Amino acid sequence: AIVIPTVSTERRDYIPMGFIGKDTITTNLCHIVPNGTVYDFGILESRMHMTWMRTVCGRLGSGYRYSRDLCYNTFPWPDAKETQRAQIEVLAQKVLDARDFYPELTLADLYDPDKMPPELKEAHEQLDQAVDLLYRPRPFENDEERLHMLFERYEALLEKTALQGTKKGTKK
């Protein structure tokens, strides 16, 4: 399962997520994505998802309060081909491997913007570029462009859901 902390400081570029085994018991201080894959982890740890999170999630003090309902369940996931999924998996694994270079550091230390190891930062940047390309063929100029595109996709998902609801309620 993928574990996502409920609260994270606003100073971080990425919420430090990870994997846990079946023998791990969690508290209400985190969310769990059961059967989460390395691909799922890659999308969730991307700048794209972090941009969405910073906009739609609530706050606890000045930190972000991750919400499965407001963030995870509303996030417009990309449509990816098998080859693209495989590439995201490879790059997400590079993020995990870069973390393993520093077993003495906690995730909080690794994701402190003043202390983030260069290998981890580079792995995240490569993952970010690949995830961006799942949404469109040209790079995004900034997070505002990412957010604009995400909200357009979100609106399209809402319209599709509304149409499906209308069709189910129609009498024949």
Side-chain angles (χ1 to χ4, degrees), residues 147-165:
L147 196 55
H148 181 75
M149 179 275 312
L150 286 169
F151 272 113
E152 284 179 346
R153 293 186 93 160
Y154 178 69
E155 287 176 17
L157 289 171
L158 288 177
E159 288 174 14
K160 182 178 177 183
T161 302
L163 285 174
Q164 289 172 345

Side-chain angles (χ1 to χ4, degrees), residues 14-142:
Y14 307 93
I15 292 177
M17 302 175 193
F19 284 93
I20 57 171
K22 293 177 183 176
D23 58 337
T24 301
I25 298 172
T26 62
T27 70
N28 64 334
L29 299 176
C30 56
H31 296 286
I32 302 299
V33 179
N35 304 312
T37 66
V38 176
Y39 172 80
D40 299 331
F41 171 83
I43 300 298
L44 293 172
E45 277 285 41
S46 71
R47 182 172 193 101
M48 189 69 71
H49 185 70
M50 293 297 117
T51 299
W52 184 254
M53 181 276 305
R54 283 185 192 91
T55 303
V56 303
C57 280
R59 299 286 184 135
L60 184 61
S62 62
Y64 299 110
R65 186 173 188 114
Y66 195 92
S67 167
R68 74 162 192 239
D69 295 328
L70 295 176
C71 187
Y72 183 86
N73 290 339
T74 63
F75 180 67
W77 286 72
D79 296 321
K81 298 176 182 141
E82 258 330 290
T83 54
Q84 293 170 312
R85 290 177 70 89
Q87 181 186 23
I88 298 301
E89 289 172 357
V90 167
L91 294 171
Q93 187 61 53
K94 282 186 178 183
V95 168
L96 294 168
D97 292 345
R99 292 175 178 183
D100 289 344
F101 290 148
Y102 302 91
E104 73 283 3
L105 298 179
T106 65
L107 283 174
D109 293 331
L110 287 168
Y111 283 88
D112 181 320
D114 299 328
K115 301 176 187 174
M116 189 177 211
E119 299 90 350
L120 182 56
K121 187 174 180 124
E122 175 64 26
H124 268 287
E125 288 171 357
Q126 290 176 8
L127 177 61
D128 292 341
Q129 290 171 3
V131 170
D132 281 0
L133 291 173
L134 295 177
Y135 288 91
R136 72 178 198 193
R138 68 183 194 286
F140 290 88
E141 292 290 322
N142 52 42

